Amino acid sequence: MTARIDRRRVLAGMALAGAGLAAPLPLLAANTGRARIAKVEAFAVPRAVFVKLTADDGTTGWGEAGHSGGKLVAEVIRRELAAIYEGADVFDGDGLWARAYYEIDELGPGGLASQALAGVDCALWDLRGKLLGLPVWALLGGKERGSFPVYGSFSRDLGQGKYMTPDEAARRAAEMLGEGFTAIKVRMAIREENADPADDPTLPTARAVRKAIGDAVPLYVDANNGYRAARAIEVGRALHQELGVAVFEEPCAMHHYASMAQVSGALDMAIAAGEHEYTPFAFRDLIDHGRPDLLNPDVSKLSGLTAARHVASLAWLRDLPISVHNARPTLLSAAHAHFVAWAPTASRPQEHPGAVRLKELWRYFRAPMLPKDGIFTVPDTPGLGLEPDEPAIRADAS
């Protein structure tokens, strides 16, 4: 039977750790009973992968894994990660994450492995918070901000090889303003395999969007890895000088750090990158060699909140702002909210997909957690703050 947790001793331990950037979980473990993980489950539902961890006293925690190859991600969790986490101390921190990471890294640390580990890790933070009766931001080290601005983000990619016209993109941008967002990002979906396309959609689309939202609304453009350095500089200058675009995201392929550094050095606008970095080690190299001005980590790709803490430390040490890549509205958005609440340099507007994209995923939760008038309020409830509708998840899962 699990020993009772003395919350006052835990909080005292966290206060002693306050001088560090994050409260170390081993310190918390010393102040708690020996709660252990009894079961790890993964549920691949349409367009999402959810993870459930159950402690030996019946308390549960939920997280969201990366969704690319969802059924495969769920199988990695069941076949590889469950055996590592089941039986482990709930309050083991970086050591447990490292054991899992190095056990499955040969599956591909930039794909299945990191996406699967992200879901289990975020569920574990949710479980810890529920056991302690504390929000995850408190476990991370405190709340730098209780709310933060978000920008509405959409892609011109409609799926199955179809793309929005500039006029369609303009209408979608106007719709997002109607949702209450006060800044907009349009994702061009060019991709590195079609770098420097002859029929380049960026400037026509950005011009139409700017006309629709007006000159006063901040506009960001994501090239989705679409250019080589010379063309990225040409397009970036036009975006900045003609349309006042404030942020140019992933102008070059994520693996061409030298090209990104060339673009960053040439343009008088913020260059963002990090969505496609899957480990803290990769973020170190991105910062050193790619020279971005703005980091946009995605917890569902970056192996979870445990790894994201290290990226926040790198950002803090290098004085780099963080604006998360957040294209999923439910548990991932909740995890990002707690991360942003704590991360010292996450002072920029953060990404949010809005109330329309993937709205069908809210059927798996008792109540939504959405921004209002362009502001996201961080929950103070234990864990991540979302209550799943488990029967609905199980009914659709594979």
Short mmCIF file of all heavy atoms in Angstrom, two decimals, residues 237-279:
data_model
loop_
_atom_site.label_atom_id
_atom_site.label_comp_id
_atom_site.label_asym_id
_atom_site.label_seq_id
_atom_site.Cartn_x
_atom_site.Cartn_y
_atom_site.Cartn_z
N ARG A 237 13.30 38.89 -46.98
CA ARG A 237 13.39 40.36 -47.10
C ARG A 237 12.09 40.95 -47.61
O ARG A 237 11.61 41.98 -47.11
CB ARG A 237 14.55 40.72 -48.02
CG ARG A 237 15.91 40.63 -47.35
CD ARG A 237 17.01 41.09 -48.25
NE ARG A 237 18.29 41.04 -47.55
CZ ARG A 237 19.45 40.73 -48.14
NH1 ARG A 237 19.49 40.45 -49.42
NH2 ARG A 237 20.57 40.69 -47.42
N ALA A 238 11.48 40.29 -48.58
CA ALA A 238 10.21 40.78 -49.11
C ALA A 238 9.11 40.69 -48.05
O ALA A 238 8.31 41.62 -47.90
CB ALA A 238 9.82 39.98 -50.36
N LEU A 239 9.07 39.60 -47.32
CA LEU A 239 8.07 39.45 -46.27
C LEU A 239 8.21 40.54 -45.21
O LEU A 239 7.21 41.13 -44.76
CB LEU A 239 8.20 38.07 -45.60
CG LEU A 239 7.78 36.86 -46.42
CD1 LEU A 239 8.18 35.58 -45.71
CD2 LEU A 239 6.27 36.87 -46.68
N HIS A 240 9.43 40.81 -44.83
CA HIS A 240 9.68 41.79 -43.77
C HIS A 240 9.46 43.22 -44.24
O HIS A 240 8.77 44.01 -43.59
CB HIS A 240 11.09 41.61 -43.24
CG HIS A 240 11.45 42.52 -42.11
ND1 HIS A 240 10.77 42.52 -40.91
CD2 HIS A 240 12.41 43.48 -41.99
CE1 HIS A 240 11.29 43.42 -40.10
NE2 HIS A 240 12.28 44.02 -40.74
N GLN A 241 10.03 43.56 -45.39
CA GLN A 241 10.00 44.95 -45.85
C GLN A 241 8.64 45.34 -46.42
O GLN A 241 8.16 46.45 -46.20
CB GLN A 241 11.11 45.16 -46.88
CG GLN A 241 12.50 45.02 -46.30
CD GLN A 241 13.60 45.04 -47.35
OE1 GLN A 241 13.35 45.26 -48.54
NE2 GLN A 241 14.84 44.81 -46.92
N GLU A 242 8.01 44.43 -47.16
CA GLU A 242 6.75 44.76 -47.81
C GLU A 242 5.54 44.54 -46.90
O GLU A 242 4.60 45.34 -46.91
CB GLU A 242 6.58 43.91 -49.07
CG GLU A 242 5.26 44.14 -49.80
CD GLU A 242 5.06 43.18 -50.96
OE1 GLU A 242 6.06 42.61 -51.46
OE2 GLU A 242 3.89 42.98 -51.37
N LEU A 243 5.59 43.46 -46.08
CA LEU A 243 4.41 43.04 -45.33
C LEU A 243 4.57 43.11 -43.82
O LEU A 243 3.63 42.81 -43.09
CB LEU A 243 4.02 41.61 -45.74
CG LEU A 243 3.73 41.41 -47.23
CD1 LEU A 243 3.54 39.94 -47.55
CD2 LEU A 243 2.52 42.22 -47.65
N GLY A 244 5.75 43.51 -43.35
CA GLY A 244 5.98 43.63 -41.92
C GLY A 244 5.92 42.32 -41.17
O GLY A 244 5.57 42.30 -39.98
N VAL A 245 6.24 41.21 -41.83
CA VAL A 245 6.25 39.91 -41.16
C VAL A 245 7.31 39.91 -40.07
O VAL A 245 8.47 40.27 -40.30
CB VAL A 245 6.50 38.77 -42.17
CG1 VAL A 245 6.74 37.44 -41.46
CG2 VAL A 245 5.31 38.66 -43.12
N ALA A 246 6.91 39.50 -38.87
CA ALA A 246 7.79 39.61 -37.71
C ALA A 246 8.64 38.38 -37.48
O ALA A 246 9.74 38.47 -36.93
CB ALA A 246 6.95 39.90 -36.46
N VAL A 247 8.11 37.18 -37.84
CA VAL A 247 8.82 35.93 -37.59
C VAL A 247 8.78 35.08 -38.86
O VAL A 247 7.71 34.90 -39.46
CB VAL A 247 8.18 35.14 -36.42
CG1 VAL A 247 8.88 33.79 -36.23
CG2 VAL A 247 8.24 35.94 -35.13
N PHE A 248 9.93 34.55 -39.24
CA PHE A 248 10.07 33.65 -40.39
C PHE A 248 10.55 32.31 -39.82
O PHE A 248 11.67 32.18 -39.36
CB PHE A 248 11.08 34.23 -41.37
CG PHE A 248 11.06 33.64 -42.75
CD1 PHE A 248 9.97 32.93 -43.24
CD2 PHE A 248 12.16 33.80 -43.59
CE1 PHE A 248 9.96 32.42 -44.53
CE2 PHE A 248 12.16 33.30 -44.88
CZ PHE A 248 11.06 32.60 -45.35
N GLU A 249 9.66 31.32 -39.86
CA GLU A 249 9.94 30.05 -39.19
C GLU A 249 10.43 28.99 -40.18
O GLU A 249 9.90 28.87 -41.28
CB GLU A 249 8.67 29.54 -38.50
CG GLU A 249 8.87 28.29 -37.68
CD GLU A 249 7.60 27.90 -36.94
OE1 GLU A 249 6.82 28.80 -36.58
OE2 GLU A 249 7.39 26.69 -36.71
N GLU A 250 11.43 28.24 -39.76
CA GLU A 250 12.03 27.16 -40.54
C GLU A 250 12.14 27.52 -42.03
O GLU A 250 11.57 26.85 -42.89
CB GLU A 250 11.23 25.87 -40.35
CG GLU A 250 11.44 25.25 -38.99
CD GLU A 250 10.98 23.81 -38.90
OE1 GLU A 250 9.95 23.46 -39.50
OE2 GLU A 250 11.65 23.02 -38.22
N PRO A 251 12.89 28.57 -42.35
CA PRO A 251 13.05 28.94 -43.76
C PRO A 251 13.81 27.89 -44.56
O PRO A 251 13.59 27.76 -45.77
CB PRO A 251 13.83 30.26 -43.69
CG PRO A 251 14.54 30.21 -42.37
CD PRO A 251 13.62 29.48 -41.45
N CYS A 252 14.70 27.14 -43.89
CA CYS A 252 15.50 26.10 -44.55
C CYS A 252 15.23 24.75 -43.89
O CYS A 252 14.67 24.68 -42.80
CB CYS A 252 16.98 26.43 -44.45
SG CYS A 252 17.42 28.04 -45.14
N ALA A 253 15.65 23.70 -44.58
CA ALA A 253 15.47 22.36 -44.03
C ALA A 253 16.11 22.26 -42.66
O ALA A 253 17.20 22.77 -42.41
CB ALA A 253 16.07 21.33 -44.97
N MET A 254 15.42 21.56 -41.75
CA MET A 254 15.84 21.54 -40.35
C MET A 254 17.24 20.95 -40.16
O MET A 254 17.91 21.24 -39.17
CB MET A 254 14.83 20.78 -39.50
CG MET A 254 14.65 19.31 -39.83
SD MET A 254 13.50 19.07 -41.18
CE MET A 254 13.11 17.32 -41.02
N HIS A 255 17.70 20.12 -41.12
CA HIS A 255 19.02 19.51 -40.94
C HIS A 255 20.14 20.33 -41.57
O HIS A 255 21.30 19.93 -41.49
CB HIS A 255 19.03 18.08 -41.53
CG HIS A 255 18.32 17.95 -42.84
ND1 HIS A 255 17.03 17.47 -42.93
CD2 HIS A 255 18.70 18.26 -44.10
CE1 HIS A 255 16.65 17.47 -44.20
NE2 HIS A 255 17.64 17.95 -44.92
N HIS A 256 19.82 21.45 -42.18
CA HIS A 256 20.85 22.31 -42.77
C HIS A 256 21.10 23.52 -41.86
O HIS A 256 20.64 24.63 -42.12
CB HIS A 256 20.42 22.77 -44.17
CG HIS A 256 20.49 21.69 -45.20
ND1 HIS A 256 21.56 20.84 -45.33
CD2 HIS A 256 19.60 21.32 -46.17
CE1 HIS A 256 21.35 19.99 -46.33
NE2 HIS A 256 20.16 20.25 -46.84
N TYR A 257 21.82 23.29 -40.78
CA TYR A 257 22.09 24.35 -39.82
C TYR A 257 22.89 25.49 -40.45
O TYR A 257 22.67 26.66 -40.13
CB TYR A 257 22.85 23.81 -38.62
CG TYR A 257 22.06 22.89 -37.71
CD1 TYR A 257 22.72 22.07 -36.79
CD2 TYR A 257 20.68 22.83 -37.75
CE1 TYR A 257 22.01 21.23 -35.94
CE2 TYR A 257 19.96 21.99 -36.92
CZ TYR A 257 20.64 21.19 -36.01
OH TYR A 257 19.94 20.35 -35.18
N ALA A 258 23.83 25.17 -41.32
CA ALA A 258 24.66 26.22 -41.94
C ALA A 258 23.79 27.15 -42.77
O ALA A 258 23.98 28.38 -42.76
CB ALA A 258 25.75 25.59 -42.79
N SER A 259 22.80 26.59 -43.49
CA SER A 259 21.90 27.43 -44.28
C SER A 259 21.07 28.32 -43.38
O SER A 259 20.86 29.51 -43.67
CB SER A 259 20.99 26.55 -45.15
OG SER A 259 21.74 25.82 -46.09
N MET A 260 20.58 27.75 -42.28
CA MET A 260 19.78 28.55 -41.36
C MET A 260 20.59 29.70 -40.76
O MET A 260 20.09 30.82 -40.64
CB MET A 260 19.22 27.66 -40.24
CG MET A 260 18.19 28.36 -39.36
SD MET A 260 17.59 27.30 -38.03
CE MET A 260 17.01 25.88 -38.95
N ALA A 261 21.83 29.41 -40.41
CA ALA A 261 22.68 30.46 -39.86
C ALA A 261 22.92 31.56 -40.88
O ALA A 261 22.96 32.75 -40.53
CB ALA A 261 24.01 29.86 -39.41
N GLN A 262 23.07 31.18 -42.14
CA GLN A 262 23.26 32.18 -43.20
C GLN A 262 22.03 33.08 -43.31
O GLN A 262 22.15 34.31 -43.43
CB GLN A 262 23.51 31.46 -44.53
CG GLN A 262 23.89 32.38 -45.68
CD GLN A 262 24.19 31.61 -46.95
OE1 GLN A 262 24.37 30.38 -46.93
NE2 GLN A 262 24.24 32.31 -48.08
N VAL A 263 20.84 32.50 -43.24
CA VAL A 263 19.60 33.26 -43.32
C VAL A 263 19.45 34.17 -42.10
O VAL A 263 19.11 35.35 -42.21
CB VAL A 263 18.39 32.33 -43.47
CG1 VAL A 263 17.09 33.11 -43.42
CG2 VAL A 263 18.49 31.53 -44.75
N SER A 264 19.71 33.61 -40.94
CA SER A 264 19.58 34.37 -39.70
C SER A 264 20.50 35.59 -39.70
O SER A 264 20.11 36.67 -39.25
CB SER A 264 19.88 33.46 -38.50
OG SER A 264 19.77 34.18 -37.30
N GLY A 265 21.70 35.41 -40.21
CA GLY A 265 22.65 36.51 -40.24
C GLY A 265 22.32 37.59 -41.25
O GLY A 265 22.76 38.73 -41.11
N ALA A 266 21.52 37.22 -42.26
CA ALA A 266 21.25 38.16 -43.35
C ALA A 266 19.97 38.97 -43.17
O ALA A 266 19.85 40.04 -43.77
CB ALA A 266 21.17 37.40 -44.67
N LEU A 267 19.04 38.47 -42.36
CA LEU A 267 17.73 39.10 -42.29
C LEU A 267 17.52 39.87 -40.99
O LEU A 267 17.99 39.46 -39.93
CB LEU A 267 16.62 38.05 -42.42
CG LEU A 267 16.53 37.32 -43.76
CD1 LEU A 267 15.41 36.30 -43.74
CD2 LEU A 267 16.34 38.31 -44.91
N ASP A 268 16.79 40.99 -41.08
CA ASP A 268 16.45 41.81 -39.92
C ASP A 268 15.07 41.42 -39.40
O ASP A 268 14.19 42.27 -39.20
CB ASP A 268 16.48 43.28 -40.28
CG ASP A 268 17.87 43.78 -40.64
OD1 ASP A 268 18.84 43.28 -40.04
OD2 ASP A 268 17.99 44.63 -41.54
N MET A 269 14.86 40.14 -39.18
CA MET A 269 13.61 39.62 -38.64
C MET A 269 13.95 38.36 -37.85
O MET A 269 15.02 37.77 -38.03
CB MET A 269 12.61 39.30 -39.76
CG MET A 269 13.09 38.22 -40.70
SD MET A 269 12.17 38.09 -42.28
CE MET A 269 10.51 37.84 -41.75
N ALA A 270 13.06 37.97 -36.97
CA ALA A 270 13.32 36.81 -36.13
C ALA A 270 13.21 35.53 -36.94
O ALA A 270 12.22 35.31 -37.65
CB ALA A 270 12.35 36.78 -34.96
N ILE A 271 14.22 34.67 -36.85
CA ILE A 271 14.21 33.35 -37.47
C ILE A 271 13.93 32.32 -36.39
O ILE A 271 14.66 32.25 -35.39
CB ILE A 271 15.55 33.05 -38.17
CG1 ILE A 271 15.86 34.12 -39.22
CG2 ILE A 271 15.53 31.66 -38.79
CD1 ILE A 271 14.81 34.28 -40.29
N ALA A 272 12.88 31.56 -36.58
CA ALA A 272 12.45 30.56 -35.58
C ALA A 272 12.75 29.16 -36.07
O ALA A 272 12.63 28.86 -37.26
CB ALA A 272 10.95 30.71 -35.29
N ALA A 273 13.10 28.28 -35.13
CA ALA A 273 13.36 26.89 -35.46
C ALA A 273 13.31 26.06 -34.18
O ALA A 273 13.44 26.59 -33.08
CB ALA A 273 14.71 26.72 -36.16
N GLY A 274 13.16 24.76 -34.35
CA GLY A 274 13.18 23.84 -33.22
C GLY A 274 12.06 22.83 -33.22
O GLY A 274 12.12 21.83 -32.51
N GLU A 275 11.03 23.06 -34.02
CA GLU A 275 9.91 22.11 -34.08
C GLU A 275 10.39 20.70 -34.40
O GLU A 275 9.84 19.72 -33.88
CB GLU A 275 8.92 22.57 -35.15
CG GLU A 275 7.86 21.56 -35.51
CD GLU A 275 7.08 21.93 -36.76
OE1 GLU A 275 7.17 23.09 -37.21
OE2 GLU A 275 6.37 21.05 -37.28
N HIS A 276 11.41 20.58 -35.25
CA HIS A 276 11.87 19.26 -35.68
C HIS A 276 13.16 18.84 -34.97
O HIS A 276 13.92 18.03 -35.52
CB HIS A 276 12.07 19.26 -37.20
CG HIS A 276 10.78 19.30 -37.96
ND1 HIS A 276 10.30 20.46 -38.55
CD2 HIS A 276 9.86 18.35 -38.18
CE1 HIS A 276 9.15 20.20 -39.13
NE2 HIS A 276 8.84 18.94 -38.92
N GLU A 277 13.36 19.32 -33.77
CA GLU A 277 14.47 18.83 -32.95
C GLU A 277 13.88 17.91 -31.87
O GLU A 277 12.93 18.30 -31.19
CB GLU A 277 15.25 19.98 -32.32
CG GLU A 277 15.77 21.01 -33.32
CD GLU A 277 16.74 20.44 -34.34
OE1 GLU A 277 17.21 19.29 -34.18
OE2 GLU A 277 17.02 21.13 -35.34
N TYR A 278 14.45 16.74 -31.72
CA TYR A 278 13.81 15.69 -30.93
C TYR A 278 14.52 15.38 -29.61
O TYR A 278 14.03 14.54 -28.86
CB TYR A 278 13.71 14.42 -31.79
CG TYR A 278 12.87 14.64 -33.03
CD1 TYR A 278 13.46 15.06 -34.22
CD2 TYR A 278 11.50 14.47 -33.01
CE1 TYR A 278 12.69 15.28 -35.36
CE2 TYR A 278 10.72 14.69 -34.14
CZ TYR A 278 11.33 15.09 -35.31
OH TYR A 278 10.57 15.33 -36.43
N THR A 279 15.63 16.04 -29.35
CA THR A 279 16.35 15.82 -28.10
C THR A 279 16.98 17.13 -27.64
O THR A 279 17.21 18.04 -28.46
CB THR A 279 17.50 14.79 -28.27
OG1 THR A 279 18.51 15.36 -29.11
CG2 THR A 279 16.99 13.48 -28.87
#
